[in-house]
């Protein structure tokens, strides 16, 4: 018997139901039921999720929850929280929840409570950040630190960069944060040009401490510092490391006393709560960082304990499965109407697509249904003047999340209401569209009618929160992390490995010596030809 979820009765029932609902317009669902908002919205953990503008009914939810039951979602949630090795291909637990476990209840991995180590590293991070922030930590020439430069890539960059950007209103006044990820020397070079070596602290963030881009950037930054300050001893005052690999850190020349540890049960894209969050902590301070962890912890408790039908990540996850696998929607847009979240789409691209961009189940069986959508997006208002045309009148079904803050970080008069009016207007217009009748009444020379009609029926979630505080941001990120987990379970996918990242790295490692030594290679006609062309032009 085939073990794919698509061969279950629960899946077949949803398929049948989708055939019916595909013919129904959202505006009719609203016209039929004036309680839709009350029925299809949930408030929890400081967030309101309005999912009423989705192409679903109460029956849809029942069927999706049947699917969740069929996949034993509730058991899987318990297994995640109990530290079981849910990452089966790497035989690891996935315990980002332990990093923000403010209750301190013991969480066991291989029979050993991880909380004492988690708390010890957090305390060490706190002491270090306090000494940098207070000015007690001095650079080699005796000056306090003013610039924090995080060198890392992927999970060791996107999360901390997004959160640091989002919480700008909470930054220490003396400190400026920079994130270097790209191996293109332009990224590091342009940043170094702005920096004073005497007041710069580099954080080398790498779980493995073997990542080509990070190590090369770190070596170049180290050389720059030594050249500028004229002494190798300066490194001790200007470089710290965040890693699981003590030996590699020592070999690089960073004193293990200046290393902040984390563990193999922290996945890269789930690591911003660990020592990988050090740049965040330096910029916002311990009280705010603890608030950030507490926000995530609140959402964790919600995910673990609230019935699936009212559970925010479960609802968002199931609705996502509904669109990807049954409506065959290929993309999902992230549209924050909160400028501070401008890096959220890039962060979620990694979180979602590296976790779910897979086509075999955890047992290695090829799936016969679409899984992860392509995640994309940009801050709300800007997008309206660019790609929203396609949302309104294109040929794709594009579910979208609108993230909306009631209060902004700034109180410039008139701005926040303008933001809110646009966010509400867009989800309304995307859902309602404009019929030919309404269009005719509204304006339009008759010959232009078809150009001015909007079919509508574009589904959206609206997530509303009071203000983007560290606490709220913690809950938002944890919400998306757990949404990904829910979808992984529904699709039978392991969301915690990333074998797809490996192949390119391996091939690059064979091409680098060929470039360094001007050698030819035997890859394929095109690659070999491109290499010869580059050699010729040098
Ligand atoms: C994340 C991925 C990947 C990883 C980077 C950096 O889940 O594993 O994005 O974070 O490749 O790896 P290092 O932290 O080991 O340098």
């Amino acid at each position: 018997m085939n073990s794919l979820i698509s061969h279950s009765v629960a899946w077949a029932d949803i398929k049948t139901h989708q055939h019916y609902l595909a013919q129904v317009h959202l505006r009719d669902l609203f016209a039929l039921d004036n309680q839709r908002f009350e029925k299809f919205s949930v408030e929890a953990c400081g967030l309101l999720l309005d999912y009423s503008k989705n192409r679903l009914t109460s029956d849809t939810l029942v069927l999706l929850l049947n699917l969740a039951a069929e996949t034993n979602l509730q058991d899987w949630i318990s297994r995640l929280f109990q530290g079981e090795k849910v990452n089966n291909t790497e035989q690891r637990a996935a315990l980002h929840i332990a990093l923000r476990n403010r209750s301190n209840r013991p969480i066991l991995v291989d029979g050993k409570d991880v909380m004492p180590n988690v708390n010890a590293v957090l305390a060490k991070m706190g002491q270090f950040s306090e000494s940098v922030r207070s000015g007690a930590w001095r650079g080699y020439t005796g000056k306090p630190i003013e610039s924090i430069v995080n060198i890392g890539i992927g999970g060791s960059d996107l999360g901390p960069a997004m959160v640091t950007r989002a919480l700008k209103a909470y930054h220490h006044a003396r400190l400026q944060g920079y994130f270097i990820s790209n191996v293109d020397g332009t990224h590091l070079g342009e940043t170094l040009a702005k920096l004073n070596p005497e007041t710069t602290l580099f954080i080398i963030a790498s779980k493995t401490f073997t990542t080509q881009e990070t190590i090369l950037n770190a070596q170049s930054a180290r050389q720059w510092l030594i050249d500028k300050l004229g002494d190798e001893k300066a490194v001790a005052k200007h470089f710290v490391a965040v890693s699981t690999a003590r030996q590699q850190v020592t070999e690089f020349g960073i004193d293990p006393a200046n290393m902040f540890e984390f563990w193999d049960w922290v996945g890269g894209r789930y690591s911003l709560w660990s020592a990988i969050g050090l740049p965040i902590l330096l910029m916002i301070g311990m009280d705010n960082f603890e608030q950030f962890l507490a926000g995530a912890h609140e959402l964790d408790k919600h995910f673990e304990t609230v019935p699936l039908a009212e559970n925010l990540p479960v609802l968002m996850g199931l609705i996502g499965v509904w669109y990807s696998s049954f409506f065959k929607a290929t993309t999902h847009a992230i549209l924050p109407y909160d400028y501070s979240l401008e890096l959220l789409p890039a962060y979620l691209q990694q979180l979602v697509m590296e976790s779910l961009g897979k086509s075999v189940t955890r047992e290695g069986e090829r799936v016969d249904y679409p899984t992860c959508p392509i995640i994309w997006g940009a801050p709300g208002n800007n997008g309206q003047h660019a790609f929203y045309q396609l949302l309104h009148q294109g040929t794709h079904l594009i579910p979208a999340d609108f993230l909306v803050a009631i209060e902004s970080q700034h109180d410039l008069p008139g701005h926040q209401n303008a933001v809110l009016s646009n966010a509400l207007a867009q989800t309304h217009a995307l859902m309602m569209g404009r019929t030919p009748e309404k269009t005719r009444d509204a304006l339009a020379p008759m010959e232009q009618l078809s150009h001015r009609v909007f079919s509508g029926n574009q589904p959206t979630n609206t997530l509303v929160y009071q203000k983007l505080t560290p606490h709220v941001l913690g809950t938002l990120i944890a919400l998306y992390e757990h949404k990904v987990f829910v979808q992984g379970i529904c699709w039978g996918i392991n969301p915690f490995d990333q074998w797809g990242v490996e192949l390119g790295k391996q091939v690059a490692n064979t091409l680098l010596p060929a470039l360094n030594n001007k050698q030819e290679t035997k890859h394929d006609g095109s690659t070999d030809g491109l290499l010869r062309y580059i050699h010729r032009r040098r």
Side-chain angles (χ1 to χ4, degrees):
M1 201 187 86
N2 195 312
S3 60
L4 290 178
I5 188 66
S6 52
H7 295 246
S8 66
V9 173
W11 190 277
D13 288 348
I14 301 177
K15 236 175 150 172
T16 310
H17 177 70
Q18 191 273 341
H19 288 146
Y20 152 72
L21 217 60
Q23 314 303 320
V24 178
H25 200 289
L26 266 169
R27 62 177 167 248
D28 297 325
L29 294 177
F30 273 91
L32 283 170
D33 184 357
N34 60 13
Q35 291 297 300
R36 245 186 106 77
F37 174 75
E38 288 72 16
K39 261 189 212 161
F40 301 124
S41 59
V42 184
E43 197 176 359
C45 306
L47 305 173
L48 170 81
L49 169 66
D50 170 20
Y51 62 99
S52 61
K53 291 193 185 88
N54 279 294
R55 297 173 64 173
L56 52 78
T57 63
S58 303
D59 288 346
T60 320
L61 286 182
V62 169
L63 295 173
L64 289 170
L65 288 163
N66 285 348
L67 180 72
E70 180 74 30
T71 61
N72 296 320
L73 175 61
Q74 192 77 68
D75 282 357
W76 276 104
I77 295 173
S78 305
R79 294 168 71 176
L80 175 76
F81 278 82
Q82 279 160 16
E84 277 192 34
K85 296 194 172 156
V86 290
N87 177 355
N88 66 318
T89 59
E90 296 180 299
Q91 271 305 296
R92 288 176 185 165
L95 273 181
H96 35 295
I97 56 119
L99 302 165
R100 59 224 191 188
N101 172 21
R102 308 310 289 161
S103 74
N104 246 330
R105 78 175 166 89
I107 298 179
L108 307 183
V109 172
D110 293 328
K112 190 166 172 258
D113 184 10
V114 299
M115 289 315 297
N117 279 341
V118 168
N119 292 331
V121 173
L122 186 60
K124 182 176 168 182
M125 288 164 63
Q127 282 158 11
F128 176 69
S129 79
E130 199 32 55
S131 75
V132 171
R133 289 165 61 84
S134 69
W137 179 283
R138 300 276 161 156
Y140 181 65
T141 59
K143 295 188 178 161
I145 297 300
E146 290 172 358
S147 304
I148 311 285
V149 183
N150 189 80
I151 295 182
I153 196 164
S156 302
D157 167 70
L158 287 161
M162 183 275 285
V163 173
T164 302
R165 163 66 191 96
L167 299 179
K168 206 170 200 166
Y170 300 83
H171 284 187
H172 190 289
R174 196 187 67 248
L175 298 176
Q176 192 72 40
Y178 300 89
F179 288 84
I180 304 296
S181 52
N182 204 299
V183 75
D184 183 336
T186 310
H187 199 178
L188 180 65
E190 285 180 355
T191 309
L192 292 178
K194 291 184 230 163
L195 298 174
N196 175 0
E198 293 178 278
T199 57
T200 298
L201 177 75
F202 291 95
I203 302 171
I204 312 304
S206 175
K207 181 172 169 178
T208 55
F209 233 76
T210 55
T211 304
Q212 185 206 47
E213 294 89 336
T214 300
I215 298 305
L216 194 51
N217 277 327
Q219 283 164 343
S220 299
R222 189 174 185 275
Q223 198 53 52
W224 172 83
L225 186 95
I226 295 170
D227 290 347
K228 296 279 181 191
L229 298 185
D231 191 344
E232 199 152 331
K233 289 202 195 80
V235 171
K237 290 289 168 195
H238 295 270
F239 275 76
V240 298
V242 177
S243 188
T244 58
R246 182 170 291 264
Q247 196 187 330
Q248 280 84 343
V249 168
T250 315
E251 281 164 13
F252 179 85
I254 295 178
D255 184 347
N258 292 342
M259 168 179 161
F260 299 86
E261 193 188 1
F262 63 114
W263 308 275
D264 71 356
W265 44 261
V266 184
R269 56 196 172 278
Y270 298 88
S271 66
L272 57 86
W273 320 97
S274 72
I276 289 289
L278 185 62
I280 306 171
L281 171 56
L282 283 160
M283 296 305 292
I284 69 174
M286 196 52 158
D287 289 350
N288 285 320
F289 193 73
E290 283 183 334
Q291 279 299 311
F292 176 61
L293 298 178
H297 181 57
E298 191 183 345
L299 203 290
D300 291 342
K301 281 188 294 182
H302 170 90
F303 184 48
E304 192 183 7
T305 58
V306 169
L308 301 189
E310 291 138 47
N311 194 306
L312 291 173
V314 173
L315 288 166
M316 284 177 66
L318 291 176
I319 292 169
V321 169
W322 171 234
Y323 290 124
S324 293
S325 296
F326 296 91
F327 277 87
K328 313 277 160 78
T330 51
T331 82
H332 181 99
I334 303 292
L335 306 171
Y337 278 71
D338 185 334
Y339 192 66
S340 302
L341 289 177
E342 62 177 324
L343 300 183
L344 185 70
Y347 163 76
L348 288 180
Q349 277 180 337
Q350 182 191 26
L351 178 68
V352 180
M353 296 203 278
E354 203 168 72
S355 298
L356 299 170
K358 294 161 193 172
S359 47
V360 296
T361 64
R362 59 179 61 246
E363 289 78 29
E365 192 173 352
R366 185 155 287 273
V367 299
D368 59 5
Y369 42 86
T371 59
C372 184
I374 297 158
I375 301 293
W376 61 287
N381 271 63
N382 300 52
Q384 284 171 219
H385 299 266
F387 57 79
Y388 277 38
Q389 165 63 36
L390 179 143
L391 297 182
H392 285 291
Q393 291 188 308
T395 54
H396 301 268
L397 173 71
I398 302 182
D401 291 352
F402 280 62
L403 292 101
V404 181
I406 294 173
E407 290 173 47
S408 111
Q409 307 287 359
H410 287 275
D411 49 11
L412 292 170
H415 285 251
Q416 193 55 12
N417 279 351
V419 171
L420 289 168
S421 65
N422 276 285
L424 297 178
Q426 287 297 327
T427 58
H428 169 79
L430 285 167
M431 183 264 278
M432 294 292 281
R434 191 169 64 193
T435 59
E437 297 71 39
K438 283 246 167 77
T439 307
R440 205 172 291 128
D441 295 349
L443 33 110
M446 285 308 281
E447 66 276 10
Q448 285 194 2
L449 194 68
S450 57
H451 296 279
R452 305 213 185 189
V453 167
F454 295 74
S455 46
N457 223 8
Q458 285 283 27
T460 56
N461 287 317
T462 305
L463 267 169
V464 187
Y465 47 90
Q466 192 67 30
K467 187 176 179 176
L468 195 67
T469 59
H471 195 279
V472 165
L473 185 58
T475 58
L476 272 176
I477 299 170
L479 170 60
Y480 278 100
E481 285 178 346
H482 293 320
K483 175 192 168 184
V484 165
F485 182 70
V486 169
Q487 297 191 319
I489 298 308
C490 288
W491 285 322
I493 281 174
N494 174 8
F496 299 118
D497 61 11
Q498 57 283 315
W499 300 107
V501 180
E502 295 301 317
L503 181 61
K505 282 191 192 177
Q506 285 164 11
V507 180
N509 283 338
T510 66
L511 282 164
L512 185 59
L515 276 155
N516 285 340
N517 305 322
K518 259 200 159 192
Q519 288 160 345
E520 298 208 355
T521 61
K522 282 205 164 48
H523 283 85
D524 63 84
S526 162
T527 309
D528 300 340
L530 287 166
L531 195 68
R532 278 197 304 275
Y533 180 77
I534 292 166
H535 286 330
R536 268 207 313 279
R537 302 284 303 222
R538 279 193 153 165

